[in-house]
Amino acid sequence: MTDTQSLPEGYEISADSARIDIERVHRWLSTDAYWALGRSRETQERAIAGSLNFGVYDGTSGEQVAYARVVTDEATFAWLCDVYVDPVARGKGLGTALVAAVRGHLEPLGVRRVLLATQDAHGVYEKLGFKALDRPDQWMALILR
């Protein structure tokens, strides 16, 4: 992967969906991520299948320690979501490096806009160029359930 800004030594980032530890990602998100609490395994599997997936892996054990997924047309728009770092691996800059790698993956595709939603990690994303919407009143959402 390119653009592995500040990736700590001993870790690697991959966009190979076959490497994703689906069980681990489902456990992380469905039990510890405020935006995905209670998400079913089936829903998580479908989300993974329909997205670009990124993992951070311990270079020694190969164990996955972080995850992010991107819903995108790979041409104009992307939605960054499900960014999660295992609690035992937090504080090392893995989240920042992961999001930088996602940005680096999307830039050459010509994607013009990457959106995300966060309640508590604004500082992480701001370091990588994200900012609040200039005109949030122009955006709308359809909540189906």
Side-chain angles (χ1 to χ4, degrees):
M1 296 253 13
T2 60
D3 199 0
T4 53
Q5 171 181 325
S6 323
L7 183 64
E9 189 173 331
Y11 293 93
E12 63 176 312
I13 296 175
S14 173
D16 180 358
S17 290
R19 290 187 68 184
I20 300 298
D21 183 338
I22 295 171
E23 175 60 36
R24 179 177 295 228
V25 168
H26 174 253
R27 184 177 66 253
W28 284 338
L29 297 179
S30 68
T31 64
D32 191 43
Y34 64 84
W35 65 90
L37 292 175
R39 183 182 289 170
S40 74
R41 169 76 184 250
E42 176 197 5
T43 297
Q44 189 61 55
E45 289 177 4
R46 285 189 336 211
I48 289 170
S51 303
L52 290 175
N53 298 279
F54 297 81
V56 178
Y57 302 90
D58 182 292
T60 303
S61 68
E63 179 178 62
Q64 186 171 351
V65 297
Y67 175 73
R69 91 184 159 86
V70 179
V71 181
T72 182
D73 60 10
E74 297 187 318
T76 63
F77 178 82
W79 176 263
L80 174 61
C81 52
D82 289 346
V83 179
Y84 188 91
V85 178
D86 189 306
V88 301
R90 290 180 187 164
K92 300 177 183 180
L94 295 175
T96 301
L98 176 58
V99 174
V102 169
R103 183 188 63 199
H105 183 94
L106 295 172
E107 282 176 331
L109 300 176
V111 171
R112 194 166 160 254
R113 180 173 288 122
V114 180
L115 293 181
L116 62 86
T118 184
Q119 288 181 2
D120 57 1
H122 296 80
V124 171
Y125 298 108
E126 287 168 350
K127 287 190 283 187
L128 295 161
F130 286 85
K131 62 181 185 169
L133 294 174
D134 290 332
R135 298 291 315 264
D137 57 311
Q138 293 180 354
W139 293 83
M140 297 179 72
L142 173 63
I143 309 300
L144 297 175
R145 57 179 168 143

